[in-house]
Amino acid sequence: MPTAATTNSTLTSQSSSYYKNGKMYNKKRNTEKTRLKYLLPVLVWIGFIAFSLAAVVYSLTQSTWLEGTETLDGQGPSSVRREVGLFVQCDYVAGEPDNCFQTGVVNNITIWRASAFFFAIGVFGSALVMLMMVSVLVRISLRSLVLPWAKFIMGVTSVAYIVAVTLFPLGFIYIDDECASTNEGGCGLACSVSGNEMEYFSLCAPYKVSTGTFAMFVGVLAFFLCSSCTRCV
């Protein structure tokens, strides 16, 4: 005769399993599989966003978006190497202390100020989406509530990044303008060939895009790749 403990154990075992198409399935095991099915794409998504955010933030702190070495006329140093970023500019002259300064609001190029503004929106949006996805990772029940908003914010962030990236090369035409004051960024760059000048989306020698720009493009590209895979989550 079965005891009460045996009966309870049998009922518990039966309640944790069910039959479907003539086969027995374990509810707990299926729940764990379902959780893993949802969490794995979320983990990948968080990884891409974290990488994108790190790359973009790193690029914004660098002066190496553009760089080139100008030959100086007259007495004194024969050349100066300039590095120009959205927020930092550095002038390196042989035998003199490095002259690096924050540009930011004193940047000569209004279009670059707008570009920096949209990059800031992109960084904020990326960080917000990452935090939202971490909340889903911690509590899978929030998935249906958080994901639609996360995808919407990713769409807005994508637009902000597109505008920011487009505005940056539009400002090239202004970087050979004369500087109105000392330590004013995004100005005073000179072409090595007389008669040449900066154009929209085009730099004149000796200047070229450098590692800061490449890091920015890698970060933005990673974000777009992640954004295009939202249906997988």
Side-chain angles (χ1 to χ4, degrees), residues 75-186:
Q75 299 179 347
S78 60
S79 64
V80 55
R81 182 167 64 88
R82 302 188 195 278
E83 297 176 350
V84 182
L86 280 184
F87 295 102
V88 185
Q89 181 166 327
C90 293
D91 297 336
Y92 301 101
V93 179
E96 296 184 9
D98 296 344
N99 180 27
C100 291
F101 52 92
Q102 303 292 325
T103 55
V105 295
V106 296
N107 197 303
N108 178 62
I109 307 173
T110 304
I111 292 179
W112 278 11
R113 296 183 196 175
S115 178
F117 172 76
F118 283 103
F119 270 119
I121 293 177
V123 168
F124 177 78
S126 298
L128 184 58
V129 169
M130 188 169 68
L131 289 176
M132 295 172 76
M133 298 311 296
V134 169
S135 71
V136 173
L137 194 64
V138 172
R139 191 168 182 178
I140 194 65
S141 60
L142 295 174
R143 181 176 179 273
S144 60
L145 175 65
V146 171
L147 280 185
W149 284 104
K151 292 177 181 180
F152 171 76
I153 295 173
M154 286 198 78
V156 175
T157 303
S158 296
V159 173
Y161 274 143
I162 290 172
V163 174
V165 172
T166 303
L167 289 176
F168 172 62
L170 279 174
F172 289 172
I173 194 172
Y174 301 106
I175 58 179
D176 55 355
D177 292 349
E178 292 186 8
C179 296
S181 61
T182 304
N183 285 1
E184 182 182 30

Side-chain angles (χ1 to χ4, degrees), residues 65-72 80-84 89-91 172 175-176 187-192 198 202-210:
W65 287 51
L66 309 175
E67 67 177 4
T69 301
E70 295 180 18
T71 300
L72 303 178
V80 55
R81 182 167 64 88
R82 302 188 195 278
E83 297 176 350
V84 182
Q89 181 166 327
C90 293
D91 297 336
F172 289 172
I175 58 179
D176 55 355
C187 57
L189 277 63
C191 300
S192 58
M198 304 289 184
S202 178
L203 297 169
C204 65
Y207 288 95
K208 60 182 180 181
V209 295
S210 190

